[in-house]
Amino acid sequence: MTRMQVNALVVLASLGLAGFPTPSMADEEDVAETTPPIEELGEERYRIGTITVDKAARKFSLDGKILHLTEPLEYVAVMTEGFKGYESLLELETSAVEFQLACILVGLDDENSVKPRFQFDENEAVGQAVDITLSWEADGEVKTVSAASAMTAGDEPFSDAGWVYIGSTPSPQDGSLLAEMSGSLIGFVHDPTSIIEHRKGAPAGSYGMVKGNADLLPPEGSPITVTVSVIPD
Protein backbone atom coordinates (compact mmCIF):
# COMPACT_ATOMS: atom_id res chain seq x y z
CA MET A 1 0.00 0.00 0.00
CA THR A 2 1.41 3.38 -0.97
CA ARG A 3 1.59 6.19 1.57
CA MET A 4 -0.98 8.09 -0.48
CA GLN A 5 -3.42 5.17 -0.20
CA VAL A 6 -2.84 4.97 3.54
CA ASN A 7 -3.61 8.69 3.83
CA ALA A 8 -6.84 8.20 1.93
CA LEU A 9 -7.91 5.25 4.05
CA VAL A 10 -7.30 7.19 7.24
CA VAL A 11 -9.65 9.91 6.03
CA LEU A 12 -12.20 7.44 4.69
CA ALA A 13 -12.25 5.54 7.96
CA SER A 14 -12.76 8.76 9.89
CA LEU A 15 -15.76 9.52 7.69
CA GLY A 16 -17.16 6.05 8.26
CA LEU A 17 -17.47 5.31 4.54
CA ALA A 18 -18.59 1.75 3.99
CA GLY A 19 -16.72 -0.47 1.61
CA PHE A 20 -13.24 0.80 2.46
CA PRO A 21 -10.84 -1.05 4.78
CA THR A 22 -9.86 0.56 8.07
CA PRO A 23 -6.08 1.15 8.25
CA SER A 24 -4.14 -0.32 11.13
CA MET A 25 -2.59 1.84 13.84
CA ALA A 26 0.81 1.11 12.31
CA ASP A 27 -0.42 2.44 8.97
CA GLU A 28 -1.79 5.58 10.59
CA GLU A 29 1.52 6.18 12.32
CA ASP A 30 3.25 5.82 8.95
CA VAL A 31 1.31 8.70 7.42
CA ALA A 32 3.83 11.47 6.85
CA GLU A 33 1.92 13.81 4.57
CA THR A 34 -1.11 15.91 5.43
CA THR A 35 -4.13 14.51 3.61
CA PRO A 36 -6.30 17.14 1.93
CA PRO A 37 -9.60 17.64 3.79
CA ILE A 38 -12.67 15.89 2.38
CA GLU A 39 -15.98 17.74 2.65
CA GLU A 40 -19.17 15.66 2.74
CA LEU A 41 -21.86 16.94 0.35
CA GLY A 42 -24.45 14.22 0.98
CA GLU A 43 -25.67 11.29 -1.11
CA GLU A 44 -22.16 9.83 -1.38
CA ARG A 45 -20.77 13.02 -2.84
CA TYR A 46 -17.61 14.73 -1.55
CA ARG A 47 -15.42 17.71 -2.30
CA ILE A 48 -11.61 17.68 -2.24
CA GLY A 49 -10.37 21.18 -2.95
CA THR A 50 -12.13 22.05 -6.22
CA ILE A 51 -12.83 18.41 -7.11
CA THR A 52 -16.39 17.10 -6.79
CA VAL A 53 -16.48 13.34 -6.23
CA ASP A 54 -19.54 11.16 -6.84
CA LYS A 55 -18.60 7.92 -5.12
CA ALA A 56 -21.80 6.08 -6.08
CA ALA A 57 -21.39 6.94 -9.77
CA ARG A 58 -17.61 6.34 -9.53
CA LYS A 59 -16.67 9.62 -11.18
CA PHE A 60 -15.27 13.05 -10.31
CA SER A 61 -15.15 16.44 -12.00
CA LEU A 62 -13.01 19.55 -11.70
CA ASP A 63 -12.44 22.80 -13.51
CA GLY A 64 -9.46 24.14 -15.37
CA LYS A 65 -8.56 25.97 -18.55
CA ILE A 66 -7.25 25.37 -22.04
CA LEU A 67 -3.52 25.95 -21.73
CA HIS A 68 -2.02 25.17 -25.16
CA LEU A 69 -3.50 24.28 -28.53
CA THR A 70 -0.78 24.84 -31.11
CA GLU A 71 2.36 23.84 -29.18
CA PRO A 72 3.53 20.18 -29.25
CA LEU A 73 1.87 18.32 -26.39
CA GLU A 74 2.83 15.44 -24.12
CA TYR A 75 0.10 15.75 -21.50
CA VAL A 76 -3.65 16.15 -21.42
CA ALA A 77 -3.58 17.84 -18.03
CA VAL A 78 -1.24 19.16 -15.37
CA MET A 79 -1.99 20.51 -11.91
CA THR A 80 -2.07 24.24 -11.14
CA GLU A 81 1.26 25.74 -12.24
CA GLY A 82 2.55 22.25 -12.93
CA PHE A 83 6.15 22.01 -14.12
CA LYS A 84 5.08 20.24 -17.33
CA GLY A 85 2.52 22.93 -18.15
CA TYR A 86 4.47 24.12 -21.19
CA GLU A 87 3.52 20.89 -23.01
CA SER A 88 0.03 20.28 -21.64
CA LEU A 89 -3.36 20.81 -23.25
CA LEU A 90 -5.00 21.70 -19.93
CA GLU A 91 -4.19 23.14 -16.52
CA LEU A 92 -6.55 21.93 -13.78
CA GLU A 93 -7.38 23.70 -10.52
CA THR A 94 -5.96 21.05 -8.23
CA SER A 95 -2.81 19.49 -6.82
CA ALA A 96 -1.56 16.02 -7.70
CA VAL A 97 -2.28 14.84 -4.15
CA GLU A 98 -5.90 15.98 -4.38
CA PHE A 99 -6.31 14.44 -7.85
CA GLN A 100 -4.92 11.08 -6.78
CA LEU A 101 -7.04 11.07 -3.63
CA ALA A 102 -10.13 11.62 -5.81
CA CYS A 103 -9.08 8.63 -7.91
CA ILE A 104 -8.80 6.49 -4.78
CA LEU A 105 -12.18 7.71 -3.51
CA VAL A 106 -13.94 6.43 -6.65
CA GLY A 107 -12.32 3.04 -6.19
CA LEU A 108 -9.23 3.19 -8.37
CA ASP A 109 -6.29 1.15 -7.14
CA ASP A 110 -2.80 0.87 -8.61
CA GLU A 111 -1.96 -2.44 -6.91
CA ASN A 112 -2.09 -4.38 -10.20
CA SER A 113 -1.02 -1.58 -12.50
CA VAL A 114 2.05 -1.78 -14.70
CA LYS A 115 3.61 1.65 -14.90
CA PRO A 116 5.81 2.72 -17.82
CA ARG A 117 9.45 2.00 -17.13
CA PHE A 118 10.51 5.29 -18.66
CA GLN A 119 9.09 8.11 -20.77
CA PHE A 120 8.10 6.91 -24.27
CA ASP A 121 8.11 3.28 -23.13
CA GLU A 122 6.56 1.33 -26.03
CA ASN A 123 4.99 -1.25 -23.73
CA GLU A 124 1.33 -0.72 -22.91
CA ALA A 125 0.47 0.86 -19.58
CA VAL A 126 -1.73 -1.45 -17.50
CA GLY A 127 -4.31 -0.33 -14.96
CA GLN A 128 -7.98 0.18 -14.28
CA ALA A 129 -9.70 1.76 -17.27
CA VAL A 130 -11.16 5.26 -17.04
CA ASP A 131 -13.10 7.53 -19.36
CA ILE A 132 -12.06 11.19 -19.62
CA THR A 133 -14.28 13.92 -21.05
CA LEU A 134 -13.88 17.66 -21.51
CA SER A 135 -16.88 19.98 -21.40
CA TRP A 136 -17.49 23.70 -21.76
CA GLU A 137 -20.32 26.11 -22.41
CA ALA A 138 -20.75 27.72 -25.83
CA ASP A 139 -23.73 29.54 -27.30
CA GLY A 140 -25.84 28.70 -24.30
CA GLU A 141 -25.25 24.95 -24.41
CA VAL A 142 -22.75 22.52 -22.91
CA LYS A 143 -20.44 20.83 -25.38
CA THR A 144 -18.64 17.61 -24.43
CA VAL A 145 -15.82 15.72 -26.16
CA SER A 146 -13.58 12.82 -25.25
CA ALA A 147 -9.98 13.49 -24.25
CA ALA A 148 -8.76 11.69 -27.38
CA SER A 149 -10.99 13.80 -29.64
CA ALA A 150 -9.54 16.94 -28.05
CA MET A 151 -6.18 16.24 -29.72
CA THR A 152 -4.78 15.46 -33.13
CA ALA A 153 -1.62 13.62 -34.19
CA GLY A 154 -0.48 15.59 -37.20
CA ASP A 155 -3.29 15.37 -39.74
CA GLU A 156 -4.70 12.24 -38.10
CA PRO A 157 -7.08 11.80 -35.15
CA PHE A 158 -5.41 10.97 -31.86
CA SER A 159 -5.57 7.29 -30.90
CA ASP A 160 -8.68 6.36 -28.92
CA ALA A 161 -7.04 3.30 -27.32
CA GLY A 162 -8.19 4.30 -23.84
CA TRP A 163 -6.83 5.63 -20.56
CA VAL A 164 -5.73 3.75 -17.44
CA TYR A 165 -5.07 4.67 -13.83
CA ILE A 166 -1.47 3.83 -12.99
CA GLY A 167 -1.18 5.93 -9.82
CA SER A 168 1.80 8.08 -9.00
CA THR A 169 4.27 6.90 -6.36
CA PRO A 170 6.11 8.66 -3.53
CA SER A 171 9.63 9.93 -4.02
CA PRO A 172 12.17 7.70 -2.24
CA GLN A 173 13.94 10.85 -1.05
CA ASP A 174 11.19 12.64 0.87
CA GLY A 175 7.93 10.79 0.25
CA SER A 176 6.47 13.55 -1.94
CA LEU A 177 4.20 12.30 -4.69
CA LEU A 178 6.21 12.23 -7.94
CA ALA A 179 3.27 13.72 -9.83
CA GLU A 180 3.34 16.66 -7.41
CA MET A 181 6.94 17.29 -8.39
CA SER A 182 6.41 17.03 -12.17
CA GLY A 183 2.87 18.42 -12.14
CA SER A 184 1.71 15.66 -14.50
CA LEU A 185 -1.83 14.36 -13.93
CA ILE A 186 -2.93 12.84 -17.26
CA GLY A 187 -0.31 11.99 -19.88
CA PHE A 188 0.11 10.10 -23.12
CA VAL A 189 3.88 9.72 -23.52
CA HIS A 190 4.04 7.03 -20.82
CA ASP A 191 5.50 9.27 -18.14
CA PRO A 192 6.03 7.06 -15.05
CA THR A 193 5.14 9.98 -12.76
CA SER A 194 1.65 10.54 -14.22
CA ILE A 195 -1.48 9.48 -12.36
CA ILE A 196 -3.46 8.51 -15.47
CA GLU A 197 -1.81 7.47 -18.73
CA HIS A 198 -2.88 6.58 -22.27
CA ARG A 199 -2.91 2.80 -22.61
CA LYS A 200 -0.77 2.64 -25.77
CA GLY A 201 0.99 5.98 -25.56
CA ALA A 202 1.49 8.51 -28.33
CA PRO A 203 1.41 6.98 -31.82
CA ALA A 204 4.81 5.93 -33.17
CA GLY A 205 6.54 8.76 -34.97
CA SER A 206 4.13 11.37 -33.62
CA TYR A 207 6.52 13.05 -31.17
CA GLY A 208 6.16 16.79 -31.57
CA MET A 209 3.07 16.35 -33.75
CA VAL A 210 0.34 15.99 -31.12
CA LYS A 211 -1.58 19.24 -30.62
CA GLY A 212 -4.92 20.43 -29.35
CA ASN A 213 -7.86 20.12 -31.72
CA ALA A 214 -8.33 23.82 -32.41
CA ASP A 215 -11.26 23.11 -34.74
CA LEU A 216 -13.18 21.52 -31.87
CA LEU A 217 -12.04 23.18 -28.65
CA PRO A 218 -12.58 26.75 -27.43
CA PRO A 219 -9.61 29.19 -27.51
CA GLU A 220 -6.63 29.05 -25.17
CA GLY A 221 -7.50 30.41 -21.74
CA SER A 222 -11.12 29.24 -21.95
CA PRO A 223 -12.59 27.52 -18.89
CA ILE A 224 -13.03 23.77 -19.16
CA THR A 225 -14.43 21.00 -16.96
CA VAL A 226 -12.81 17.57 -16.89
CA THR A 227 -14.69 14.47 -15.75
CA VAL A 228 -12.97 11.19 -14.96
CA SER A 229 -15.23 8.12 -14.78
CA VAL A 230 -14.31 4.56 -13.84
CA ILE A 231 -15.10 2.05 -16.60
CA PRO A 232 -16.53 -1.12 -14.98
CA ASP A 233 -14.44 -4.26 -15.42
Side-chain angles (χ1 to χ4, degrees), residues 43 86 106:
E43 299 182 346
Y86 65 94
V106 297

Side-chain angles (χ1 to χ4, degrees), residues 44-65:
E44 295 193 277
R45 296 173 66 250
Y46 305 89
R47 181 175 291 119
I48 310 168
T50 65
I51 305 175
T52 300
V53 178
D54 188 332
K55 178 176 175 286
R58 303 192 71 189
K59 67 179 182 179
F60 63 88
S61 299
L62 69 161
D63 294 332
K65 65 180 179 181

Side-chain angles (χ1 to χ4, degrees), residues 70-75 87 120 122 151-159 188-190 198 200-212:
T70 59
E71 291 85 348
L73 304 176
E74 294 189 5
Y75 300 89
E87 49 193 0
F120 301 109
E122 294 182 356
M151 298 179 293
T152 59
D155 295 327
E156 301 296 324
F158 188 81
S159 169
F188 56 84
V189 291
H190 283 179
H198 192 264
K200 291 186 176 296
S206 67
Y207 176 69
M209 298 173 60
V210 178
K211 297 182 179 181

Side-chain angles (χ1 to χ4, degrees), residues 50-218:
T50 65
I51 305 175
T52 300
V53 178
D54 188 332
K55 178 176 175 286
R58 303 192 71 189
K59 67 179 182 179
F60 63 88
S61 299
L62 69 161
D63 294 332
K65 65 180 179 181
I66 302 286
L67 198 56
H68 298 296
L69 288 175
T70 59
E71 291 85 348
L73 304 176
E74 294 189 5
Y75 300 89
V76 176
V78 295
M79 68 184 202
T80 303
E81 297 183 352
F83 174 70
K84 295 290 187 176
Y86 65 94
E87 49 193 0
S88 178
L89 176 67
L90 310 173
E91 179 184 86
L92 301 182
E93 297 172 6
T94 190
S95 67
V97 171
E98 290 170 337
F99 190 88
Q100 180 143 310
L101 181 53
C103 290
I104 295 170
L105 271 169
V106 297
L108 292 169
D109 188 340
D110 66 353
E111 182 178 4
N112 296 315
S113 68
V114 178
K115 297 173 175 57
R117 298 165 297 173
F118 45 80
Q119 198 168 23
F120 301 109
D121 187 353
E122 294 182 356
N123 291 342
E124 287 193 11
V126 177
Q128 288 178 269
V130 297
D131 180 60
I132 304 170
T133 58
L134 283 59
S135 59
W136 66 97
E137 187 172 324
D139 300 323
E141 62 178 288
V142 176
K143 298 183 180 296
T144 301
V145 300
S146 69
S149 298
M151 298 179 293
T152 59
D155 295 327
E156 301 296 324
F158 188 81
S159 169
D160 196 13
W163 308 87
V164 294
Y165 173 75
I166 60 171
S168 191
T169 54
S171 164
Q173 281 75 37
D174 61 6
S176 300
L177 205 62
L178 291 178
E180 195 77 35
M181 301 167 66
S182 66
S184 55
L185 303 178
I186 306 171
F188 56 84
V189 291
H190 283 179
D191 183 344
T193 73
S194 295
I195 295 173
I196 294 174
E197 265 291 335
H198 192 264
R199 187 186 304 277
K200 291 186 176 296
S206 67
Y207 176 69
M209 298 173 60
V210 178
K211 297 182 179 181
N213 190 338
D215 293 331
L216 190 61
L217 296 175

